Amino acid sequence: LVSTEEDKYGLYSNLLFKYFLAEGIVCGHDLFVASAKEHPDNILKELPAPLLDDTHGKELGAEAAAVKSEDVQDSMKIAWRYQNLPKMETSPTTYTKFGHYYDVSKKMSPELCQSIKWHSFYLHEELPFEPEMKTWNMNSGYARLLQAIQRIISQEGFDGSDPQKKQRNVLRIGIQSLGSLLWGDDVCCSDTPEDAHSLTKFLYVLRGLLRKSLSACIITVPAHLIQ
């Protein structure tokens, strides 16, 4: 579980949020995208395009080779008494692939987006709770989101404590602008909020769900709005 503070203009956190989701698509993971601010369909349409031709890997390899060449030249200038001492490697000489590179100026192709299974949660399209159905003693927006995450984990085979018959995968969960007024949380605009601990309760329950499931989650929080 990674919680990222949104800056005032939401630029860096939004980029990190989309990178996390894009990496999930390229790796073939399932996605669960939740927002009360922007429709998840629109978020997925704005994901950066991956660079799958390994161009950057070749560039890194060439750069490492150049550094190694400079080291050979420098070794000619070292005093003779240091020649036989072991040398520490300060730069990579081989390229190990970890993650992928993306072109933020281009959008991911619809075909690639549709190649994986994804689930969306847009608060304003969800059916409201009945008054007597308030669960976990928190505001209904958070409670509905938790129920949706719990349902996906259980029904789609991400429950780590329950033996699964189908091939296992990873669920990547992205939650946008948690803690804002759009989620029905008045902690950001009132000195006497109705339930000042709704966000904290949500995070505790979510952490419990993540610990027993095959999932990873990123959350952006507009901390500058929360008093």
Side-chain angles (χ1 to χ4, degrees):
L1 171 60
V2 176
S3 180
T4 306
E5 180 179 350
E6 294 182 8
D7 56 277
K8 186 175 181 180
Y9 301 102
L11 298 177
Y12 176 76
S13 60
N14 190 46
L15 183 62
L16 185 62
F17 185 78
K18 291 180 177 179
Y19 174 88
F20 176 84
L21 298 177
E23 185 69 12
I25 292 179
V26 174
C27 293
H29 299 162
D30 285 18
L31 297 185
F32 179 92
V33 185
S35 177
K37 175 182 178 182
E38 187 178 0
H39 199 289
D41 291 357
N42 296 331
I43 294 176
L44 291 177
K45 290 178 182 177
E46 296 296 319
L47 297 184
L51 299 171
L52 300 177
D53 58 358
D54 207 24
T55 301
H56 285 72
K58 295 176 182 177
E59 289 178 356
L60 282 176
E63 183 178 348
V67 171
K68 189 174 182 180
S69 176
E70 291 178 3
D71 288 345
V72 172
Q73 295 176 6
D74 291 342
S75 68
M76 301 298 293
K77 305 174 184 177
I78 299 177
W80 65 270
R81 65 176 180 270
Y82 297 123
Q83 289 283 354
N84 296 323
L85 292 178
K87 185 177 181 181
M88 297 296 293
E89 187 63 56
T90 58
S91 61
T93 56
T94 59
Y95 172 64
T96 302
K97 192 164 185 64
F98 181 81
H100 299 85
Y101 293 93
Y102 297 85
D103 185 347
V104 295
S105 67
K106 298 179 182 178
K107 303 297 184 289
M108 184 178 290
S109 68
E111 293 77 17
L112 188 54
C113 288
Q114 295 167 6
S115 66
I116 55 97
K117 190 171 185 179
W118 62 278
H119 315 270
S120 65
F121 180 96
Y122 186 51
L123 181 63
H124 309 302
E125 289 182 350
E126 298 294 320
L127 295 176
F129 275 149
E130 297 296 331
E132 64 273 10
M133 288 182 63
K134 190 173 183 181
T135 56
W136 288 304
N137 194 27
M138 66 181 70
N139 79 54
S140 63
Y142 294 156
R144 279 180 279 170
L145 176 56
L146 282 172
Q147 284 194 340
I149 295 174
Q150 190 176 42
R151 182 176 64 253
I152 296 300
I153 289 175
S154 176
Q155 295 179 358
E156 299 297 327
F158 298 106
D159 191 342
S161 62
D162 184 26
Q164 303 295 326
K165 296 180 181 179
K166 62 181 182 179
Q167 183 177 2
R168 293 191 170 219
N169 198 358
V170 175
L171 176 66
R172 288 195 180 223
I173 302 170
I175 306 174
Q176 187 184 57
S177 293
L178 197 69
S180 73
L181 185 60
L182 294 173
W183 284 99
D185 194 340
D186 58 350
V187 72
C188 63
C189 61
S190 174
D191 292 329
T192 56
E194 182 179 346
D195 190 347
H197 303 293
S198 270
L199 180 58
T200 307
K201 293 173 185 175
F202 171 86
L203 292 173
Y204 269 111
V205 178
L206 177 62
R207 185 175 66 175
L209 289 174
L210 296 177
R211 280 182 170 177
K212 69 169 189 174
S213 64
L214 304 173
S215 57
C217 179
I218 186 171
I219 299 174
T220 65
V221 181
H224 60 283
L225 296 179
I226 300 176
Q227 298 180 2

